[in-house]
Amino acid sequence: MAKVVAEISVSLDGFVTGPDPGPGQGLGRGGEALHTWVFEGDTTDKRVLEEATVATGAVVMGRRLFDVVDAPGGWSDEVGYGAGLAATPPVLVVTRTPPALVRLTDRFTFVVDGIASAVGKAIALADDRDVVIMGGGATIRGALDAGVVDELRLHLTPVLLGGGTKLFDGAAPRNLRQIHVRPSGHATHLTYRVD
């Protein structure tokens, strides 16, 4: 059965973007440092990324993240979830209103009836592989609050952004069980079981 994993990079001060994120600004001022482990990582980082990507059968993201990855300078054949693999996983975007234009038309399906519905549809597409909710922060908080997350994977990066999008701003209190820690030179990869 598919496992639902909420996975995101986060700064030491709890931000998943820098200030002023959005199309044309990506992850905001200083936010690209959150993904140094992806692009410049060591052997541990590469292993973490490869294991997660190979295990993924479908991806769920929120509309604000979609607007960033579909903007010019966003995802391409070389950059994006599953880039470089023989087959990239389908991506479901949680939104109230699908966009009129989509640059990467073959990768995205828009779900207008909420995060639980998007996760359910992703499970059906994942073929017993993992469903990864990759963000943004509000989408991951919504998935945790909806009770549809089995694991939370945080890639804690050694950067202080001082502002931006807080991952757990307004999150409901909950206990997590730490099940795995992998340190590297660019991040500490943390995995929690959501009970």
Side-chain angles (χ1 to χ4, degrees), residues 126-143:
D127 196 29
D128 290 332
R129 294 168 65 205
D130 291 350
V131 170
V132 173
I133 304 168
M134 64 177 291
T139 301
I140 287 180
R141 282 190 311 274

Side-chain angles (χ1 to χ4, degrees), residues 113-165:
D113 53 348
I115 186 70
S117 176
V119 169
K121 289 175 170 88
I123 289 170
L125 293 170
D127 196 29
D128 290 332
R129 294 168 65 205
D130 291 350
V131 170
V132 173
I133 304 168
M134 64 177 291
T139 301
I140 287 180
R141 282 190 311 274
L144 285 166
D145 289 346
V148 296
V149 176
D150 299 311
E151 283 184 9
L152 175 63
R153 292 184 194 152
L154 300 177
H155 306 287
L156 187 63
T157 58
V159 62
L160 298 172
L161 293 175
T165 306

Side-chain angles (χ1 to χ4, degrees), residues 13-175:
D13 51 350
F15 294 98
V16 295
T17 74
D20 303 318
Q25 301 237 62
L27 294 174
R29 291 190 316 272
E32 296 306 319
L34 293 168
H35 290 149
T36 300
W37 73 272
V38 173
F39 296 107
E40 300 173 22
D42 60 23
T43 304
T44 298
D45 297 316
K46 289 177 179 150
R47 192 174 314 119
V48 166
L49 186 61
E50 181 180 348
E51 289 170 2
T53 305
V54 168
T56 300
V59 174
V60 175
M61 71 172 59
R63 174 61 188 270
R64 281 179 273 189
L65 179 56
F66 165 78
D67 288 342
V68 171
V69 302
D70 195 53
W75 283 6
S76 64
D77 290 338
E78 293 79 35
V79 176
Y81 206 100
L85 297 179
T88 56
V91 179
L92 291 88
V93 179
V94 181
T95 183
R96 289 190 183 101
T97 309
L101 297 172
V102 177
R103 182 175 61 88
L104 302 171
T105 56
D106 60 334
R107 291 196 74 169
F108 299 99
T109 301
F110 299 93
V111 179
V112 297
D113 53 348
I115 186 70
S117 176
V119 169
K121 289 175 170 88
I123 289 170
L125 293 170
D127 196 29
D128 290 332
R129 294 168 65 205
D130 291 350
V131 170
V132 173
I133 304 168
M134 64 177 291
T139 301
I140 287 180
R141 282 190 311 274
L144 285 166
D145 289 346
V148 296
V149 176
D150 299 311
E151 283 184 9
L152 175 63
R153 292 184 194 152
L154 300 177
H155 306 287
L156 187 63
T157 58
V159 62
L160 298 172
L161 293 175
T165 306
K166 280 273 194 189
L167 177 56
F168 295 116
D169 192 29
R174 93 172 38 248
N175 291 323

